[in-house]
Amino acid sequence: MNRSMNPDSSVTIAKRGIRHLRWWVLVLFLTGVTVNYITRNSLAILAPELKVSLGITTEQYAWIVGAFQLAYTFFQPLCGWLIDVIGLKIGFFVCASVWALACLLHAGAGSWLQLAILRFVMGSAEAAATPANAKVLGEWFPKKERPVAAGWAGVGFSVGAMLAPPIIYFAHASFGWQGAFLFTGFLALAWALLWWWFYRSPAQHLNLSAQELAFIQQDGEPAPVKQGFWQALRSVAANKRFYGIAIPAFMAEPAWGVLSFWVPLYLANEMGMDLKQIAMFAWLPFLAADLGSVASGYLTRLYSRLFGFTRVNAVVASSVSGAFLMVSLALVALTKNPYMAIALISAGGFGHQIISCMLSALVVEKFDKGEMATVNGMRGSCAWIASFLFSLVIGYTADRIGFNPLFIAMGFFDLIGALFLVAFIAERRVEKRSL
């Protein structure tokens, strides 16, 4: 038989194409998450002008933000279950296409209510990012690499927020606020097509070598079991370990919501910055968050080497370290210097992403492949419930009492979450009794 006509031999030849393909897949995914955050954060950067152009009050802006957060909250488990059932390729492509179209339609909004509806649609689709994150880690990396991979994957969640201010500023300067929404919407649509063209699961990817496939599958994890939506939710909710991840996520997310949606208004209202100054400095907390993402996985290795921690306990210790760094947010209330405030908020961004990445690592560490996306979606829902409620609190109180009491509260939320993480997730060593 002609070798070129043999399917097995053609696959073998094709599989020699890309070395370390798992890391290139991770780059593709974090690029999509970067675009995800650019589209969602475009509203926050344009908020000062939108409030004037469309006559939006601070309280109405809070409802616009809340609409996104509410959708993001409720749709994460559904998106996670969908990805678990129909697969990462199709599930994430559909969601990315929807959020791209919703962003494009922002350009035609004429009132706060229309913006709120569009943000709800966008939030329901962008909710796929968190559960997809766990699915990528679980499918493409062996257990020993997952903490480091989770750290790098977390870069996408903050680099998009970091790039959003300068990108939106220059798009706004060139095309106006409507053009800024159109630009980011087309960017998201282009990435969705790239994902559809390139992504395959490890077992189906023609550019994955047999050696790397064996490396990925070295843990011998059982094949994922697909469950109905309600059955999957009940199964996760009955697992005590889920609450050791969900409660810390609930306590951590208000800070990220403030960084994503409220810091530009804080800098404008409390520190007197204009849009150009905001664009120059509002990206710094997200740069710090990027560094925290990358550092988190390597921090687990450091704890393992220095203290002999198990893989799980090293991840827990890394997350607790991030919780202590979050105290820097409480110190924001003590300064009137805008540059010191940005530095302290940046330290909080660094700490938050350590926590967030390590919680994702714990999901893939503690749960089966068939439920990873569902679990991470439910974890994300718990987080965004807190973010949604906190945004409503900010919308009601910011003009009355200012931001300082809110920063103080955020500084200590994560230490409370760390207690639950240690209680429910940390592994206890059982001492052997001498006979």
Side-chain angles (χ1 to χ4, degrees):
M1 181 182 290
N2 189 324
R3 179 170 295 183
S4 65
M5 297 298 292
N6 187 327
D8 292 333
S9 79
S10 64
V11 168
T12 302
I13 294 172
K15 283 190 174 184
R16 297 173 183 170
I18 302 177
R19 296 183 61 192
H20 307 298
L21 182 63
R22 64 192 185 282
W23 293 103
W24 288 108
V25 169
L26 188 65
V27 169
L28 174 65
F29 173 75
L30 69 86
T31 302
V33 176
T34 297
V35 174
N36 179 299
Y37 266 78
I38 290 174
T39 56
R40 78 172 62 177
N41 283 26
S42 58
L43 178 74
I45 305 303
L46 297 170
E49 178 173 343
L50 290 173
K51 289 182 67 178
V52 175
S53 299
L54 302 181
I56 298 172
T57 67
T58 300
E59 192 166 352
Q60 289 171 338
Y61 177 73
W63 282 107
I64 296 170
V65 172
F68 179 94
Q69 293 172 318
L70 189 65
Y72 206 93
T73 298
F74 286 110
F75 278 85
Q76 281 192 76
L78 182 59
C79 289
W81 171 80
L82 184 70
I83 288 171
D84 276 333
V85 171
I86 70 173
L88 187 56
K89 177 184 175 69
I90 298 175
F92 206 32
F93 170 76
V94 170
C95 292
S97 300
V98 171
W99 89 57
L101 294 173
C103 187
L104 291 170
L105 292 174
H106 276 53
S111 68
W112 76 268
L113 184 58
Q114 291 174 358
L115 276 177
I117 294 171
L118 288 170
R119 295 302 285 186
F120 185 88
V121 175
M122 177 182 279
S124 66
E126 292 200 348
T130 298
N133 180 41
K135 200 70 172 178
V136 169
L137 296 176
E139 286 192 352
W140 280 91
F141 292 88
K143 287 184 176 181
K144 66 181 182 181
E145 280 191 339
R146 287 173 188 171
V148 172
W152 282 103
V155 169
F157 288 86
S158 49
V159 74
M162 179 188 75
L163 294 176
I167 288 176
I168 299 303
Y169 173 75
F170 287 111
H172 170 269
S174 302
F175 313 113
W177 67 264
Q178 294 95 339
F181 283 124
L182 290 174
F183 177 81
T184 54
F186 280 119
L187 191 65
L189 197 58
W191 180 85
L193 295 174
L194 182 64
W195 174 265
W196 179 260
W197 173 71
F198 184 77
Y199 185 82
R200 302 287 188 279
S201 66
Q204 299 175 337
H205 211 299
L206 297 180
N207 297 112
L208 182 66
S209 68
Q211 292 80 3
E212 187 169 5
L213 179 61
F215 179 80
I216 292 169
Q217 297 177 343
Q218 65 182 269
D219 299 305
E221 295 173 293
V225 177
K226 297 179 181 180
Q227 303 181 72
F229 179 63
W230 295 111
Q231 181 185 359
L233 294 189
R234 285 195 299 269
S235 175
V236 173
N239 192 331
K240 185 181 75 170
R241 292 173 299 180
F242 168 70
Y243 299 98
I245 295 171
I247 294 174
F250 181 90
M251 304 306 296
E253 198 63 24
W256 190 249
V258 169
L259 263 65
S260 298
F261 299 111
W262 291 99
V263 163
L265 275 182
Y266 165 76
L267 295 176
N269 295 347
E270 301 284 330
M271 299 298 175
M273 288 187 171
D274 58 25
L275 182 60
K276 182 177 181 179
Q277 291 172 316
I278 291 171
M280 289 176 62
F281 295 103
W283 59 274
L284 289 173
F286 300 105
L287 174 61
D290 284 335
L291 298 176
S293 295
V294 175
S296 61
Y298 296 102
L299 190 58
T300 64
R301 293 185 174 181
L302 183 64
Y303 279 124
S304 294
R305 291 172 182 171
L306 291 180
F307 304 108
F309 287 171
T310 65
R311 185 168 58 240
V312 169
N313 284 351
V315 173
V316 170
S318 183
S319 184
V320 172
S321 300
F324 278 101
L325 287 172
M326 295 300 291
V327 177
S328 63
L329 292 180
L331 301 178
V332 173
L334 302 180
T335 183
K336 297 295 182 182
N337 185 311
Y339 306 109
M340 179 60 69
I342 290 170
L344 291 169
I345 293 170
S346 297
F350 185 92
H352 173 85
Q353 278 304 92
I354 290 178
I355 298 169
S356 181
C357 292
M358 292 302 93
L359 291 179
S360 291
L362 287 171
V363 168
V364 298
E365 183 70 37
K366 287 292 188 178
F367 292 88
D368 296 332
K369 280 188 176 183
E371 58 184 1
M372 285 178 184
T374 302
V375 172
N376 221 26
M378 292 177 66
R379 189 262 293 189
S381 284
C382 292
W384 278 75
I385 287 171
S387 185
F388 169 70
L389 294 176
F390 204 71
S391 280
L392 295 184
V393 171
I394 294 174
Y396 181 77
T397 62
D399 288 343
R400 294 172 172 83
I401 64 173
F403 284 85
N404 286 344
L406 305 171
F407 275 110
I408 293 173
M410 287 186 294
F412 295 97
F413 280 169
D414 287 287
L415 291 178
I416 299 172
L419 295 176
F420 289 91
L421 186 65
V422 172
F424 291 165
I425 298 295
E427 296 175 341
R428 275 70 172 172
R429 294 188 178 184
V430 180
E431 296 183 2
K432 295 182 179 179
R433 297 181 181 180
S434 59
L435 299 177

